[in-house]
Amino acid sequence: MATDVQAMPTDPTPDAAYPPLASYAVIGDTATLALISESGSIDWLCLPDIDDAASFGRVLDHHRGGYFTVAPPRFHSVERTYRDHTAILESRYETGEGVVTVTDLMVIPDRRGLHPERWLIRRIRAERGTPTIRFTYAPRPDNGKTVPQWRDHGTGVWQWRTGKRALTLLSDMAGAPSANGTVDGGCRLEEGEERQLRLAFASHDALALPGTESVEPAIERTERFWRDYASRSTYRGPYRDAVARSATMIRLLTFSLSGAILAAGTTSLPEAPGGMRNWDYRYCWLRDASFLIRAYLGLGYHDEAKAFFTWIMHATRLTTPELTPCYSVYGRTDIQERRIDRFEGYQRAGPVREGNGAVSQRQLDVYGSVLQAALLFAEAGGRLERSEQRRLRRFAQVAREQWTLPEKGIWEMRGPPRHYTYGKAMCWSALTAYAALIRRGTIRDDPAPYEAEAGRIRDAIVRHGWNEERQAFTGAFGADFLDASLLLLPRFGIVEADDPRMVSTRQAIDAELRRGPHLRRYAEGVDGGGESEGTFWACGFWAVEGLARAGDDEEARSRFEALLADVPPTGSLSEERDPDTGALLGNLPQAFSHAALINAALTLKEASS
């Protein structure tokens, strides 16, 4: 038998109010995701979908954000692992009273029968001794705007309703709501005893509450989903564990209801200490398309690649013939940026933003990314509908007509539009990919005009993108700053990896932007921002690809292994990394970073064979 006790965890000290981002583990159900700290606190969860307002947002405001903690009141150590090849987190706490394991998962939806729209399970088991477990349940829906008033059903069920929305906590431990909108409770466990908490959310009239008997089938179904996903990977190359974990992270960011892949699972985690470079990445950036399609196809995930490509073709219908840089999970572009002033920001580094102003920018690289993705999809056996062929033709026409225009570039730099070299290269890629689709018989059209224009783009890149004084391709025509995105030129075919100009470019980038195995995207001050940036995970992996393509397999592997050594134990990568402290910077998990890791591994495998 268990002895129930009432308890409230002690408020952390100010220094511990914001845990390091590297300490957060990620769970999710492919519609939304949660971040869980080492102390067992869910500090980020948007409901019902990943781009909705946060119900638990303490990662952005320790006082107003909302959280859900399940852990011993005091513990000596914690060891966290994912159950093999799944997104099910197991946290093993060593305490003075014994050992307790907390298993956390978001349940993969079952389309049959009546089930919660979203639900999360936190199962506790005493492994040794008689440990005490405590919980504090303090959601703050609507990005911290709402403090719930709980209806206590007296049977371990606490519910908050507003309109058609309902948030329910079910527990087999004693607890009690407080006036400040929290539910606190806990118990002392006997060795071998299990307890559980279930969070259920509904945004419509039909509210299904998961009974105790439904927990084990839900866990089994969720575990089966993730194991099946892992088993479908055809990757048999080196570094399989790192590749598999990154594949899981990308699947967590793949919105199953539409097929979209989100850039990241969070908003406004600062890219630079002190804030300002804080953006909402809970949208789909088309710049990521070819990287993600290559990663999925390279690992054998044809169904996910097809779903993503189909989503791209569906989402872009309303903006054709032009493409916007980002779309919502359902293909909307009405995602204008606004500030959430009630949140102070992670480590008090605001502002916190919702929406993203990049939606209105001209970014020419997206045309190359989408047409590359189409070519990869077709080469893997995918079939293009007639309407999709017509749309791709119009995208190619825009790239052909607009490549001479200035734009904001892949990095969305501040200041006026410029003639960014990467954008020109991606327009070249758009036209050559479209011509390849024609020549392989996928699309009926004349390839000659597109190939001729591609030739003119390449000539312009070689003439205006090359800086003789720096002996490198530079970030914009006529400019002298270096840009790590140009490490990708050999992948596109603009120049060979062992071409002396590319070798010299790599050397210049290493000399100026490298910190260990990591790279900055460009030097400080280039974009006009006053804040110090970190190194970009993706850029480090792009360097690995470039070295492998140039035949320097030993150096490529050495750098790749050094990068992997810096990946946090949770396996979740952000966009950037502080080169001095090793802290993660920016939103996480970041699809761009994980796709770069996978693609680097694929390139290493191809180079070795």
Side-chain angles (χ1 to χ4, degrees), residues 1 51 87 110 140 151 172 236 239 254-255 275 287 289 293 300 334 336 490 528:
M1 295 291 292
D51 61 348
D110 186 350
R140 296 293 182 264
R151 181 181 177 186
D172 59 7
R236 299 296 181 266
Y239 316 110
T254 301
F255 190 72
R287 69 167 189 190
I293 290 282
D334 55 337
Q336 295 304 312

Side-chain angles (χ1 to χ4, degrees), residues 32 60 220 261 272 284 374 460 477 523 539:
T32 190
L60 294 177
E220 291 174 359
I261 304 179
C284 180
F477 283 8
C539 296

Side-chain angles (χ1 to χ4, degrees), residues 18 21 59-61 264 266-283 285 336-341 343-358 411-412 414 521 527 529 531-534 536 575-576 584-588 590:
Y18 291 97
L21 295 181
V59 72
L60 294 177
D61 194 297
T266 55
T267 179
S268 303
L269 295 177
E271 297 173 10
M276 296 311 294
R277 296 179 189 265
N278 302 357
W279 314 109
D280 190 352
Y281 276 13
R282 297 171 300 156
Y283 304 103
W285 260 256
Q336 295 304 312
E337 191 172 292
R338 68 182 186 89
R339 291 170 63 139
I340 305 172
D341 290 328
F343 280 171
E344 68 178 13
Y346 175 73
Q347 292 185 340
R348 303 174 183 85
V352 173
R353 293 182 169 97
E354 187 175 62
N356 199 293
W411 303 127
E412 300 167 4
R414 308 176 194 192
R521 54 182 175 175
D527 62 2
E531 313 89 4
S532 176
E533 276 198 312
F536 268 64
E575 186 171 39
E576 302 179 38
L584 296 187
L585 299 172
N587 292 304
L588 78 161
Q590 178 90 200

Side-chain angles (χ1 to χ4, degrees), residues 293-294 297 302-303 305-310 313 370-385 388 437 440:
I293 290 282
R294 184 193 178 212
L297 290 174
H302 289 255
D303 290 346
K306 179 180 179 180
F308 182 40
F309 182 75
T310 300
M313 290 292 95
V370 168
L371 281 153
Q372 273 187 14
L375 179 59
L376 289 169
F377 176 70
E379 288 175 340
R383 180 176 175 273
L384 297 178
E385 302 292 337
E388 295 172 341
L437 286 167
R440 70 187 310 277

Side-chain angles (χ1 to χ4, degrees), residues 70 83 88-91 100-105 120-127 133 172-173 189 193-198 212 215-217 219-220 223:
V70 177
R83 198 173 287 181
I88 299 174
L89 179 69
E90 295 181 332
S91 303
V100 61
T101 296
V102 179
T103 300
D104 288 305
L105 67 146
L120 182 148
I121 295 172
R122 313 199 72 177
R123 187 164 70 176
I124 305 108
R125 176 180 171 82
E127 306 291 352
I133 198 77
D172 59 7
M173 292 181 284
L189 298 170
E193 187 176 4
E194 291 187 357
R195 293 297 185 102
Q196 58 183 275
L197 297 110
R198 289 151 283 151
T212 305
V215 169
E216 198 58 40
I219 294 175
E220 291 174 359
E223 186 168 0

Side-chain angles (χ1 to χ4, degrees), residues 149-190:
Q149 297 303 306
W150 298 105
R151 181 181 177 186
D152 188 346
H153 290 264
T155 55
V157 178
W158 299 275
Q159 189 174 88
W160 167 76
R161 275 185 175 273
T162 177
K164 293 184 177 182
R165 288 187 299 162
L167 194 58
T168 308
L169 177 67
L170 302 96
S171 172
D172 59 7
M173 292 181 284
S178 64
N180 65 355
T182 68
V183 179
D184 303 294
C187 71
R188 187 181 303 280
L189 298 170
E190 298 294 336

